[in-house]
Amino acid sequence: MQEQKIVVQDVIRDVLTTLERQDYKIHNTRKYNTVYRALAQYCQNQCNGEYSYEIGAAFIQSLRQREPPLSKSFIDVYITGVERANHVMEGETDWYPRKKILEYTDSVFRNEARLYDEYLRNSGKTKSDVRARMHVVARFLQYVDQSGIKKLSQLTAQTIYGAFEAASDKGGFHKSVSAFFRYAHRHDLTEQDFSILVPSASRHIPVPTVYTPDEVEKIIAAATQGKECGKRNKAIVLIAARLGLRSCDIANLRFENIHRDTGMIEIRQVKTGEPHSVPLLPEILEALDDYVENERPKRDDNHVFLCNSLPHTGAIQPHTIYTIVSRIIETTDIDTNGRKRGAHALRSSLATALLNEGYNHREVQDALGHKSPEAVKSYVKTEVEHLRNYALPVPTPISIFASKLGSGVTA
């Protein structure tokens, strides 16, 4: 392969442009951004910002020589990123075989389906979203056709219920078919809005993992004992446990969010986009100052929490915060069997502790920055779980009741 050198930032720009053009999902694009930040830093330090096939290979080799060794899956992501950069240098951007596009299920309503497909595409929805919705709607229309109904105006509640029962993804059916009915009513395909007849699908909401206040204190104590990045990790665990911030908000925390004069941390939540304020507790301020003064890398980055070593040089990522908290919990003697171990478990533990201390649901909602009061209701389940410890024993059946059960004591 002929040696060719090019400015690494030009290569990265072309790769990311190609990813966007090929409709890569946003989480994949973020993954490649992480790879190329590390590659750019390596090229800047080792090769004056230039890139070539040989430099890409040397970059991968430097990762293989890291101690402790990096996982194979980690290395594979970086190998793929370097391959994409090499392909761009060669002018090749068709990186993967195209998946065979499944045709929509056919029915007598094919013209209505075609017009609805066109409507969805013109509404700004992504190609994958349009196809997912259309597959559900097309299968529904085939069910209607096979039921002997040849016009949408002849639809009955029984037919809609029957199609709902036959659907494997009832949540997807409710979402897609309801939207189709609203469209059909607005465009005079039906005289009434049938969307009100589409059954809703109940969604299972799991009971959040909760650690007791004593267990939370053990986790905080364990965070202070870490040697590598111990000051950073202690501050992260304190923020998660005492303030209940999400991993994404901890990762996105910037120095301008910390207001020493008012004693508050003020952020705009990544998940909801809503503003949220929490108290800057003295122990958190002390931990942050200790981290910034004694451990934080000296980099021109306004994020509070940074990665400490190459190839990662930027702000810490939310999934890394999960790993940090999980590993700290694993170092304790806490029984984690069947319990989650990330920062969100500390968030749900704080919510439950507040409820147990007598705070009402609205106060807990405000403390955690929940947009909807419904979100807090899941924490009530943890209170029910705790009440199981105080359940009364079932008395031994007697008399007629005992004879019906075939056991117990007869009077």
Side-chain angles (χ1 to χ4, degrees):
M1 189 176 292
Q2 185 177 1
E3 169 74 4
Q4 177 186 3
K5 289 186 178 181
I6 191 170
V7 177
V8 68
Q9 294 293 354
D10 292 341
V11 176
I12 292 172
R13 183 194 62 241
D14 291 345
V15 172
L16 296 178
T17 299
T18 303
L19 292 175
E20 182 178 358
R21 188 173 65 248
Q22 294 190 351
D23 291 328
Y24 270 63
K25 295 185 182 299
I26 188 168
H27 70 270
N28 283 328
T29 304
R30 288 173 178 168
K31 177 176 66 178
Y32 281 115
N33 269 316
T34 301
V35 171
Y36 293 128
R37 282 198 299 269
L39 177 61
Q41 185 69 39
Y42 178 87
C43 292
Q44 189 63 43
N45 293 342
Q46 304 293 331
C47 315
N48 296 320
E50 292 185 330
Y51 180 77
S52 68
Y53 304 118
E54 289 72 14
I55 292 171
F59 171 62
I60 295 298
Q61 186 61 26
S62 71
L63 297 180
R64 296 185 188 278
Q65 294 172 349
R66 287 280 302 275
E67 290 293 340
L70 302 172
S71 67
K72 181 180 182 301
S73 59
F74 182 98
I75 295 292
D76 287 345
V77 170
Y78 280 75
I79 289 175
T80 302
V82 168
E83 288 175 349
R84 298 287 182 259
N86 293 343
H87 291 159
V88 162
M89 290 181 62
E90 297 165 5
E92 298 178 4
T93 55
D94 192 13
W95 294 335
Y96 56 88
R98 301 294 179 182
K99 294 181 180 179
K100 182 179 179 180
I101 298 178
L102 298 176
E103 296 296 328
Y104 299 141
T105 305
D106 193 26
S107 71
V108 71
F109 299 103
R110 62 184 66 88
N111 187 56
E112 288 87 343
R114 179 184 62 79
L115 292 174
Y116 186 53
D117 178 79
E118 182 178 328
Y119 165 80
L120 290 176
R121 292 180 187 279
N122 291 333
S123 68
K125 294 186 176 1
T126 63
K127 293 178 182 179
S128 59
D129 187 25
V130 170
R131 293 201 64 82
R133 290 170 180 264
M134 281 303 305
H135 278 299
V136 175
V137 170
R139 285 193 291 268
F140 166 71
L141 293 175
Q142 184 188 60
Y143 181 93
V144 173
D145 183 9
Q146 293 174 346
S147 299
I149 296 175
K150 306 303 178 183
K151 295 182 179 179
L152 291 177
S153 58
Q154 299 172 343
L155 273 171
T156 65
Q158 288 74 19
T159 305
I160 297 172
Y161 295 157
F164 176 79
E165 289 300 322
S168 57
D169 179 8
K170 291 181 168 45
F173 182 95
H174 176 82
K175 170 186 172 182
S176 300
V177 175
S178 295
F180 170 72
F181 280 144
R182 289 192 290 271
Y183 156 86
H185 181 57
R186 287 197 303 268
H187 291 77
D188 299 323
L189 300 180
T190 59
E191 292 184 2
Q192 65 182 93
D193 184 359
F194 286 110
S195 66
I196 61 174
L197 297 178
V198 180
S200 60
S202 59
R203 184 169 63 93
H204 171 65
I205 302 177
V207 176
T209 291
V210 172
Y211 291 95
T212 67
D214 288 342
E215 289 175 330
V216 170
E217 294 306 317
K218 282 186 177 182
I219 295 169
I220 294 173
T224 65
Q225 297 171 7
K227 295 181 180 179
E228 185 177 356
C229 306
K231 300 182 187 301
R232 181 196 66 184
N233 297 349
K234 175 186 175 181
I236 287 173
V237 170
L238 277 172
I239 291 174
R242 301 291 194 230
L243 305 180
L245 292 189
R246 299 183 181 92
S247 293
C248 54
D249 292 323
I250 298 174
N252 196 48
L253 188 64
R254 302 167 189 265
F255 286 109
E256 63 259 29
N257 300 133
I258 301 172
H259 300 277
R260 295 171 181 265
D261 53 342
T262 61
M264 299 295 291
I265 297 176
E266 298 179 0
I267 64 171
R268 185 166 293 279
Q269 297 176 94
V270 174
K271 181 177 180 180
T272 65
E274 297 292 322
H276 183 45
S277 298
V278 290
L280 180 58
L281 302 176
E283 63 176 328
I284 291 177
L285 178 58
E286 181 182 348
L288 287 172
D289 286 343
D290 190 19
Y291 164 60
V292 172
E293 294 172 7
N294 301 308
E295 187 179 273
R296 184 179 184 273
K298 306 301 181 185
R299 297 189 189 127
D300 186 18
D301 192 318
N302 201 35
H303 289 89
V304 174
F305 297 112
L306 301 181
C307 297
N308 277 34
S309 58
L310 294 173
H312 303 294
T313 59
I316 199 169
Q317 297 296 307
H319 64 82
T320 306
I321 291 178
Y322 170 86
T323 302
I324 290 170
V325 177
S326 178
R327 288 178 177 174
I328 289 172
I329 293 176
E330 288 172 356
T331 64
T332 69
D333 59 357
I334 297 172
D335 181 10
T336 59
N337 186 33
R339 304 164 85 182
K340 296 182 179 179
R341 302 186 299 276
H344 199 274
L346 297 179
R347 176 177 168 86
S348 57
S349 299
L350 174 63
T352 303
L354 292 174
L355 288 171
N356 291 339
E357 289 174 13
Y359 291 92
N360 62 42
H361 286 196
R362 181 54 187 268
E363 290 170 325
V364 175
Q365 176 188 342
D366 292 341
L368 296 185
H370 279 304
K371 189 174 181 179
S372 168
E374 296 297 318
V376 182
K377 291 184 178 180
S378 63
Y379 299 118
V380 178
K381 295 183 179 181
T382 63
E383 297 177 86
V384 174
E385 291 300 314
H386 290 156
L387 288 176
R388 295 186 193 277
N389 297 326
Y390 305 98
L392 296 175
V394 178
T396 303
I398 61 174
S399 192
I400 297 176
F401 187 50
S403 64
K404 293 291 185 182
L405 294 177
S407 63
V409 180
T410 57

